[in-house]
C-alpha cells in the first residue's frame, strides 16, 4: 500500500479516501496483542450484530452478504494466520499518507455506520 500511496502522491495534487475509523478493530492496532482479547471480541461481535440486523430482512441478497462477506470477515478478525481485510484507524491512515509524501492531511466525518464511523480523508 505504501508504494501505491507514494505513486498517488507523485501524480495527484489532492487524494480523497473514505474509510472507517477502525482504531480498535484493525490489525494495525492489534500488533503484538491477542486478537481474541475479551474487549476486542465483545466490540467486534457487537458491531457485527448491528450489521447482521441491517441485512437479515433483505432475503436472498441479504443472506449472500451475510454468508459471503460478513461471516468470512468476522472469522478473519480472530485468525492470526489469515487477513480478510487490511483496515486501520484514522490516525494510522494519516501517518501513512504523511510517510507517502503528502504534507497536508485533513479529515471530515461522513457517517456513523454500523461498523465504525466513516471519514473522508483529504491528503494534499
Amino acid at each position: 500500500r505504501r508504494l501505491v500511496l507514494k505513486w498517488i502522491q507523485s501524480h495527484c495534487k489532492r487524494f480523497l479516501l473514505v474509510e472507517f475509523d477502525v482504531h480498535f478493530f484493525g490489525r494495525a492496532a492489534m500488533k503484538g496483542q491477542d486478537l481474541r482479547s475479551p474487549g476486542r471480541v465483545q466490540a467486534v461481535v457487537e458491531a457485527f450484530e448491528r450489521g447482521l440486523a441491517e441485512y437479515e430482512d433483505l432475503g436472498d441478497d441479504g443472506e449472500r452478504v451475510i454468508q459471503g462477506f460478513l461471516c468470512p470477515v468476522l472469522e478473519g478478525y480472530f485468525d492470526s494466520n489469515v487477513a480478510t481485510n487490511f483496515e486501520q484507524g484514522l490516525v494510522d491512515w494519516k501517518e501513512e499518507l504523511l510517510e507517502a509524501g503528502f504534507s497536508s492531511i485533513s479529515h471530515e466525518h461522513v457517517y456513523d455506520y454500523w461498523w465504525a464511523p466513516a471519514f473522508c480523508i483529504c491528503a494534499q
Side-chain angles (χ1 to χ4, degrees), residues 51-113:
L52 291 171
E54 202 170 289
Y55 292 100
E56 66 186 1
D57 294 332
L58 298 178
D60 289 342
D61 288 341
E63 188 64 27
R64 277 191 283 279
V65 171
I66 291 169
Q67 294 299 321
F69 176 68
L70 292 180
C71 286
V73 170
L74 174 63
E75 291 170 10
Y77 269 94
F78 305 108
D79 186 345
S80 60
N81 298 316
V82 178
T84 55
N85 66 67
F86 297 91
E87 294 178 316
Q88 60 185 13
L90 182 61
V91 170
D92 295 317
W93 272 113
K94 287 181 168 186
E95 287 176 10
E96 200 165 338
L97 289 164
L98 287 170
E99 289 172 9
F102 290 98
S103 59
S104 174
I105 313 289
S106 61
H107 70 275
E108 186 174 321
H109 179 259
V110 174
Y111 184 77
D112 286 327
Y113 196 59

